[in-house]
Amino acid sequence: MTSTFAPLPETSTADLVAERLREAILDGTLRPGDRLVETDLAERFAVSRGPVREAIRLLAPEGLVVLRRNRGAVVASPSFDDVLEVYAVRMSLGALALTNAVELRAAATPAFTDAVRLLAPMRDPDVQADPQAMLEADLAFQDAVLSLSGLPRISAMLEQSARDAASFVSLLGITYDSTDHVALVQRHERLLDALSSGEPGRAVAAWQEHIRATVAEFARACPDADSARIHDHPLARHVLDATQEKP
Amino acid sequence: MTSTFAPLPETSTADLVAERLREAILDGTLRPGDRLVETDLAERFAVSRGPVREAIRLLAPEGLVVLRRNRGAVVASPSFDDVLEVYAVRMSLGALALTNAVELRAAATPAFTDAVRLLAPMRDPDVQADPQAMLEADLAFQDAVLSLSGLPRISAMLEQSARDAASFVSLLGITYDSTDHVALVQRHERLLDALSSGEPGRAVAAWQEHIRATVAEFARACPDADSARIHDHPLARHVLDATQEKP
DNA sequence: GCACTGTAGATTGTCAACAATCGTGCCAGG
DNA sequence: CCTGGCACGATTGTTGACAATCTACAGTGC
């Protein structure tokens, strides 16, 4: 195993608290609008207010909570417009990343093999049965593929947008019941094929198709967005129509 | 003025300290690799370590400092690769934002008039003589134009990337001596014209041309990047060549 | 002379108490 | 009945002290 002697994770108490809070928000224990009271959380986690405060400040730039001076923090309440924006960013930067990956001949690298391997869990029925696990496997795969770009900053932004997207699932009350896992895996396979082909255009097209399908699924499952009005949003053209404008 | 009754700035001590540190980094008082010792800073600003610590944590996600557990924070040392990445993001998301702005008929809004007004300071010889002031005026104008998209998240990301770009100027030791201010203002004017024309393609093209010129200027002035090797970087095609790939 | 271990000083991580601020409910006045 | 001021409780903002950790340097054994 190459990762056995990798640098240890640098986890402070604040990081641990932040991680717990993230989980609580993502699994629905904490719901949009809920207040995060430093004193309460400090008592529950059996630490002082310092690390808790730091943890909350850590979640703010991630978009999971919103801070208001002297009034504490509350769990964020995103709208469907946010979903469209995040996926528009994802489509745009993803295209950039994948083009770069192709130009780097990423398909021939060990990192590519690792990415291919990450698709395996998504075919596992046990994983498919657990929405949370499925979501995490999906995220891990997409992060790995997009990291093939060799662009650290852009990869980090894409990972952030992936976490945003994941948080929308719980914050908007998406129900994952009959999601078509097979189609999802197939889209990922097509993406890998396109990367192997060495044609940037094919990779970008596969990516855009994936985003389009994901947003469409979101729109169907999201109680907030009545499907009729979605197409009024200017961004809908970008993230729902397969064809994109040319410069 | 529309902003007279905007919400008051919610400035805590930590925000003030962060602002001072930002200035210190941006004007070169603090240089890449310099350590930020909480005790020292607390004493200088005449506050306790708490707010200083929080301020440093605030600068970390902005990319101005890097944190290492139990070892404090140091001022970031970006490379020219970072410049290319940031401008690639800027080109990509800017195209998205401007397309949206055109589709919203932004040219007919008061916000557009405000943006036009922001160009005036950049023609002022006094401002042009002060690189710092010129940079800020440029940033304010670009932020205003890109905000016409009506996409809050994407506008925020673009503002962040603009701050990143500004920080590179000092962190990479760019010398601003003979920058062609006239050409810069002309590019901005062309961008406004394109927005008024109502053709998304023209706005995007003007934007890409602006990014291309900016990066080229960066490459010329940056002592770190020997111009010969820049074009080896895969991103160079995107941010230096005017033509972009089609999906 | 070299590699390793142990200690000292500096610095960060954490804590608990104090001060400042906000929201709520009550009460007087119109 | 509604409006405006006031006090109280709850919560955040800030502080200084203590504990844990890191880096550098000196000392020990080979």
Side-chain angles (χ1 to χ4, degrees):
Chain A
M1 204 44 134
T2 163
S3 60
T4 308
F5 289 101
L8 293 173
E10 304 193 335
T11 29
S12 66
T13 307
D15 290 331
L16 294 173
V17 173
E19 186 51 39
R20 291 280 194 94
L21 289 176
R22 247 181 240 114
E23 284 170 21
I25 294 174
L26 261 52
D27 71 14
T29 309
L30 288 169
R31 310 185 55 183
D34 282 358
R35 294 183 58 191
L36 297 177
V37 178
E38 295 178 2
T39 319
D40 287 359
L41 297 173
E43 201 171 344
R44 291 203 204 181
F45 292 127
V47 296
S48 80
R49 274 182 53 214
V52 171
R53 189 181 169 83
E54 197 170 316
I56 293 175
R57 297 287 189 284
L58 234 41
L59 299 181
E62 296 178 19
L64 288 176
V65 305
V66 297
L67 299 173
R68 287 166 310 174
R69 161 144 169 103
N70 286 329
R71 277 184 286 169
V74 298
V75 178
S77 311
S79 70
F80 194 76
D81 287 359
D82 290 298
V83 177
L84 288 176
E85 280 200 62
V86 165
Y87 276 104
V89 167
R90 219 165 151 62
M91 184 181 273
S92 207
L93 297 187
L96 206 55
L98 292 172
T99 305
N100 240 66
V102 170
E103 286 174 4
L104 287 173
R105 307 272 182 277
T109 63
F112 184 81
T113 324
D114 290 345
V116 172
R117 253 194 285 276
L118 284 171
L119 206 49
M122 296 184 68
R123 297 194 190 95
D124 180 346
D126 291 344
V127 174
Q128 291 189 350
D130 177 1
Q132 190 76 28
M134 191 66 185
L135 188 61
E136 274 171 36
D138 191 14
L139 253 57
F141 170 78
Q142 295 193 35
D143 286 348
V145 170
L146 295 167
S147 295
L148 296 174
S149 65
L151 304 170
R153 284 181 96 106
I154 291 175
S155 296
M157 292 177 80
L158 282 164
E159 284 175 27
Q160 178 56 47
S161 74
R163 283 194 292 272
D164 287 345
S167 73
F168 291 149
V169 173
S170 64
L171 291 176
L172 288 173
I174 305 285
T175 49
Y176 239 138
D177 43 28
S178 66
T179 307
D180 197 340
H181 298 312
V182 179
L184 175 61
V185 173
Q186 279 178 352
R187 290 200 301 271
H188 287 345
E189 284 166 350
R190 277 199 292 274
L191 179 58
L192 290 174
D193 282 348
L195 277 171
S196 304
S197 78
E199 298 170 36
R202 279 191 59 194
V204 170
W207 176 249
Q208 289 176 341
E209 172 59 22
H210 167 61
I211 297 287
R212 198 198 57 75
T214 307
V215 174
E217 222 163 76
F218 245 97
R220 221 181 310 119
C222 178
D224 180 38
D226 43 38
S227 305
R229 310 196 67 190
I230 290 175
H231 291 272
D232 289 348
H233 196 292
L235 270 188
R237 255 195 64 210
H238 296 269
V239 291
L240 282 173
D241 299 357
T243 58
Q244 270 219 314
E245 88 294 346
K246 325 185 165 47
Chain B
M1 206 38 139
T2 163
S3 60
T4 309
F5 289 100
L8 293 173
E10 304 191 337
T11 26
S12 66
T13 308
D15 291 331
L16 294 171
V17 173
E19 186 51 40
R20 291 280 194 93
L21 290 176
R22 247 183 240 113
E23 284 171 21
I25 294 174
L26 261 52
D27 71 14
T29 309
L30 288 170
R31 309 184 55 183
D34 281 359
R35 294 182 57 191
L36 296 177
V37 178
E38 295 178 1
T39 319
D40 287 359
L41 297 172
E43 202 172 346
R44 292 203 203 179
F45 292 127
V47 295
S48 80
R49 272 183 55 215
V52 172
R53 188 182 170 82
E54 198 170 316
I56 294 175
R57 297 288 188 283
L58 234 42
L59 299 181
E62 296 178 18
L64 288 175
V65 305
V66 296
L67 300 171
R68 287 166 311 173
R69 160 145 168 104
N70 286 330
R71 277 183 286 168
V74 297
V75 178
S77 311
S79 69
F80 194 77
D81 288 358
D82 291 298
V83 176
L84 288 176
E85 279 200 63
V86 166
Y87 275 103
V89 167
R90 216 164 154 63
M91 184 180 274
S92 207
L93 297 187
L96 206 55
L98 292 172
T99 303
N100 241 66
V102 170
E103 285 174 4
L104 287 173
R105 307 272 183 277
T109 63
F112 184 81
T113 325
D114 289 346
V116 173
R117 253 194 285 275
L118 283 171
L119 206 50
M122 296 184 66
R123 297 193 191 96
D124 180 345
D126 291 346
V127 174
Q128 292 190 349
D130 177 1
Q132 191 75 28
M134 191 65 184
L135 188 60
E136 274 171 36
D138 191 14
L139 253 56
F141 170 77
Q142 295 193 34
D143 287 348
V145 170
L146 294 167
S147 296
L148 296 174
S149 66
L151 304 170
R153 283 181 97 106
I154 291 176
S155 297
M157 293 176 79
L158 281 163
E159 284 176 27
Q160 178 56 49
S161 74
R163 283 193 292 272
D164 287 345
S167 74
F168 292 149
V169 174
S170 64
L171 291 177
L172 288 173
I174 304 285
T175 48
Y176 238 137
D177 44 28
S178 66
T179 308
D180 196 340
H181 298 311
V182 178
L184 176 60
V185 173
Q186 280 179 351
R187 290 201 301 271
H188 287 346
E189 284 166 349
R190 277 199 293 274
L191 180 58
L192 290 175
D193 282 348
L195 276 171
S196 304
S197 78
E199 298 171 35
R202 278 191 60 192
V204 171
W207 176 249
Q208 289 176 342
E209 172 59 22
H210 167 61
I211 297 287
R212 197 198 59 75
T214 307
V215 174
E217 223 164 74
F218 245 98
R220 221 181 311 119
C222 178
D224 180 37
D226 43 39
S227 306
R229 310 197 69 190
I230 290 176
H231 291 271
D232 289 346
H233 197 292
L235 270 189
R237 255 195 64 210
H238 296 269
V239 291
L240 282 173
D241 298 359
T243 57
Q244 268 217 313
E245 89 294 346
K246 323 184 166 49

